[in-house]
Amino acid sequence: MSTVEPIRNIEHLKKLEKYFQKKSPRDLLLFTIGTNCGLRISDIVALNVGDVRNKTHIQIIEKKTRKFKKFPINSKLKPMFNEFTKGKRSDEALFQSRFHNRMDRFTAYRIIKAACKEIRLEEKVGTHTLRKTFGYHHYKKFKDVAILQKIFNHSSPQITLRYIGIEQDQIDESYTNFIL
């Protein structure tokens, strides 16, 4: 089984945002939550309108770990939530399918995969790409593996670095810079 990669290139992230802006506010919000919060897709699609509308923090029980998670809604997401939740009931799913059911992770996968294909992204992508992208860029910005390990609920810093692709970056750099 091969694993998916984070989107390392900021220009690719900008291209994806432009693509989603043209295509769908729902899909743009899905992408933005994934890359700005580091949640698993199962936790993203489980959100209801009331979980984000007029809130300062998102509070969930993670599906996989059953652990409580609370984190602030950043300045990029706040206006998106305000606009996207207008006229919706608090108990309705934040992300709905075309049939007005709660979006499932397979639909989210198809949305992400199609967008990445459209912008000709060569990395292996999937729903975990969003979470890994958050982790990768969080680490690059803050260089704090301990806080990222805590955010992801990983048992060691090495697991976190491997998960976000930093270990592979270091291996690649080592090979590239080693010439006899």
Side-chain angles (χ1 to χ4, degrees):
M1 179 178 112
S2 62
T3 60
V4 301
E5 293 290 320
I7 301 167
R8 293 172 172 86
N9 185 315
I10 294 290
E11 289 306 311
H12 291 154
L13 289 172
K14 288 178 182 174
K15 281 183 185 178
L16 283 166
E17 276 190 358
K18 278 187 182 175
Y19 169 82
F20 286 126
Q21 283 170 347
K22 290 178 185 171
K23 188 170 186 327
S24 160
R26 179 200 68 180
D27 298 352
L28 175 62
L29 184 59
L30 179 81
F31 175 77
T32 306
I33 291 173
T35 57
N36 281 259
C37 299
L39 292 175
R40 290 179 186 87
I41 203 68
S42 58
D43 294 322
I44 294 172
V45 298
L47 291 170
N48 286 333
V49 170
D51 295 329
V52 300
R53 182 192 290 144
N54 300 322
K55 303 284 187 192
T56 58
H57 289 74
I58 293 176
Q59 299 181 64
I60 63 167
I61 302 292
E62 292 180 315
K63 288 205 175 295
K64 182 177 179 180
T65 64
R66 297 279 175 230
K67 291 182 180 177
F68 175 77
K69 184 178 196 94
K70 177 182 177 181
F71 57 93
I73 297 171
N74 71 22
S75 60
K76 184 172 187 172
L77 283 168
K78 275 184 188 179
M80 293 176 80
F81 285 147
N82 289 341
E83 186 60 32
F84 191 75
T85 61
K86 278 183 186 168
K88 296 182 179 175
R89 295 184 334 273
S90 290
D91 64 341
E92 97 182 58
L94 186 61
F95 297 104
Q96 294 186 6
S97 71
R98 289 180 294 187
F99 308 107
H100 303 289
N101 301 323
R102 183 177 298 278
M103 181 189 288
D104 60 31
R105 59 191 182 94
F106 301 109
T107 301
Y109 170 79
R110 285 191 295 274
I111 289 166
I112 294 160
K113 193 83 170 155
C116 290
K117 184 178 180 183
E118 185 68 28
I119 70 152
R120 294 179 173 85
L121 192 69
E122 293 185 17
E123 287 87 353
K124 182 155 175 41
V125 297
T127 55
H128 247 51
T129 293
L130 303 182
R131 181 172 158 92
K132 289 183 176 194
T133 298
F134 164 83
Y136 181 85
H137 290 283
H138 190 284
Y139 178 77
K140 286 294 192 179
K141 182 172 184 172
F142 298 111
K143 298 286 191 240
D144 189 343
V145 71
I147 195 69
L148 204 50
Q149 176 188 344
K150 207 171 194 61
I151 289 170
F152 283 154
N153 281 317
H154 286 162
S155 58
S156 76
Q158 293 79 8
I159 289 171
T160 301
L161 291 173
R162 187 175 336 117
Y163 179 78
I164 63 173
I166 295 296
E167 245 182 28
Q168 188 61 51
D169 284 359
Q170 292 167 338
I171 291 168
D172 292 353
E173 185 179 336
S174 172
Y175 271 101
T176 302
N177 293 320
F178 181 79
I179 301 170
L180 281 177

